[in-house]
Amino acid sequence: MYKYLPPERVDILENNLICFNNPVNFNDPFEFSTSINLHTFDKKLINMLDGVNLLEEFSKQNPGLLDMLDKASKEVITKQSESLLTQLYEQRKQNISDFVHNQFQLFNTHFISTTRVLSLSEDPKNILMWGHYAQSHTGFVIELDQSHEFFKQRRSAKDEYGFLRQVIYQDDLPNTDPLSSLHVNHFLVKSTCWKYEQEWRMLLPEFYSEKKLEANGKIFDLFHLPSKAIKNIILGCKATNDLEHKLAFILANRKDYSHVKLLKAIRSTTKFEVLF
């Protein structure tokens, strides 16, 4: 995995702190957007309600009471109760839908406010990425070791934090079903126009951050990046000698970076590509 950076971000190597961005700072206004699929929600909920036997549930709470009824009475009550929940739902359907929508929006807002995102690319030779995120090829790229423990902080199979996930590119906004266990996937969906980034993401909770910085009215959260998680540094093809000397000095004077190689991209003479 690779992180494209402008020249001034040599501080990542100096301080072992890397930014996991606040979603509100992202440059795509459609990030983390989703519509609620209330039609699917409605069908699933009705199916769930149809499967509920009120008489059985009532008897669980009141053992022995059901035995007081004769067979005919049980059949009448069972038949009448089968559609009762569905009828009650239909009467209050709009209120329930509004409540679900509002609660999901609250969840989304809370998740955004407490979640930070590390964005990486799987391609170190993307000339658009070098142009957009490495200050017109004057910056550098950090190659990260995805097998390192840094990318294995997930605590359980249900944990949304601490592991790499590939971004999903599509033309339509994600459509979220509130009853689905996959609702967090909408944080990984972007428009196909961003597909060139070949992005992967890792989420971490905001309170894991070690430092906060304010720049241009925005707050940025910095998280510890272990030296061993860094494999190589790749200089852009237009990087200055000054940047090259700074990076070489850091790597040469830190024993914990003894395994890290400093490479430099060069322009191909035959194709629209960079080589290193």
Side-chain angles (χ1 to χ4, degrees):
M1 289 294 134
Y2 302 88
K3 183 66 177 176
Y4 288 83
L5 296 159
E8 62 269 21
R9 293 314 312 275
V10 294
D11 63 284
I12 293 176
L13 299 170
E14 293 171 332
N15 304 321
N16 288 93
L17 292 173
I18 191 167
C19 179
F20 279 60
N21 210 352
N22 187 326
V24 300
N25 295 336
F26 283 6
N27 57 5
D28 180 1
F30 292 97
E31 284 274 18
F32 288 29
S33 297
T34 183
S35 58
I36 308 298
N37 192 336
L38 291 176
H39 176 68
T40 303
F41 170 80
D42 180 61
K43 290 178 64 176
K44 283 187 176 181
L45 190 55
I46 288 176
N47 287 336
M48 291 168 62
L49 294 176
D50 285 343
V52 176
N53 187 318
L54 283 179
L55 199 59
E56 281 187 10
E57 296 300 321
F58 182 76
S59 64
K60 289 178 184 178
Q61 303 298 322
N62 301 272
L65 189 60
L66 202 60
D67 297 333
M68 298 171 60
L69 301 175
D70 57 50
K71 183 178 179 182
S73 297
K74 289 180 184 179
E75 290 177 353
V76 170
I77 295 173
T78 299
K79 188 174 182 179
Q80 290 178 344
S81 66
E82 282 178 350
S83 60
L84 181 59
L85 284 178
T86 302
Q87 291 173 9
L88 290 173
Y89 170 65
E90 290 294 340
Q91 293 172 8
R92 295 165 175 78
K93 183 175 179 178
Q94 189 58 53
N95 290 340
I96 293 173
S97 295
D98 290 344
F99 175 80
V100 169
H101 183 271
N102 291 336
Q103 288 301 305
F104 189 85
Q105 293 306 317
L106 287 173
F107 160 79
N108 203 29
T109 299
H110 176 72
F111 197 89
I112 289 173
S113 69
T114 57
T115 299
R116 300 297 178 261
V117 184
L118 176 65
S119 297
L120 305 174
S121 174
E122 64 183 58
D123 183 9
K125 296 184 177 181
N126 189 311
I127 57 176
L128 284 177
M129 293 291 285
W130 277 105
H132 295 163
Y133 296 104
Q135 201 166 308
S136 303
H137 295 256
T138 63
F140 62 103
V141 162
I142 296 178
E143 180 182 359
L144 296 165
D145 182 3
Q146 65 192 80
S147 67
H148 190 273
E149 292 301 313
F150 178 71
F151 296 107
K152 298 178 181 179
Q153 300 184 54
R154 195 181 193 189
R155 295 163 297 181
S156 70
K158 294 183 178 180
D159 194 353
E160 300 294 348
Y161 295 115
F163 67 107
L164 284 169
R165 284 184 286 185
Q166 192 170 22
V167 167
I168 302 163
Y169 299 101
Q170 60 189 48
D171 292 324
D172 299 321
L173 281 173
N175 202 300
T176 300
D177 172 11
L179 294 178
S180 170
S181 61
L182 301 177
H183 60 271
V184 176
N185 274 5
H186 75 282
F187 295 105
L188 299 171
V189 179
K190 297 183 69 170
S191 165
T192 51
C193 67
W194 297 96
K195 195 171 183 178
Y196 75 93
E197 294 186 339
Q198 299 180 65
E199 184 180 353
W200 289 67
R201 290 180 170 176
M202 185 167 84
L203 313 182
L204 282 178
E206 176 269 337
F207 64 82
Y208 275 25
S209 67
E210 296 195 0
K211 188 176 181 180
K212 293 181 181 292
L213 291 178
E214 183 175 357
N216 301 318
K218 298 178 180 179
I219 303 296
F220 297 91
D221 297 84
L222 306 183
F223 292 71
H224 177 66
L225 177 65
S227 301
K228 293 297 183 182
I230 300 172
K231 294 178 70 175
N232 295 307
I233 307 297
I234 307 166
L235 283 158
C237 63
K238 294 171 63 179
T240 63
N241 290 334
D242 182 54
L243 177 61
E244 185 170 0
H245 292 154
K246 281 183 180 178
L247 290 170
F249 179 83
I250 293 171
L251 298 183
N253 286 274
R254 290 269 300 269
K255 289 183 179 180
D256 52 334
Y257 286 143
S258 60
H259 63 288
V260 180
K261 295 179 180 178
L262 181 60
L263 310 173
K264 185 166 185 178
I266 59 172
R267 289 175 51 188
S268 169
T269 57
T270 58
K271 296 181 179 180
F272 291 107
E273 65 179 1
V274 291
L275 308 170
F276 44 83

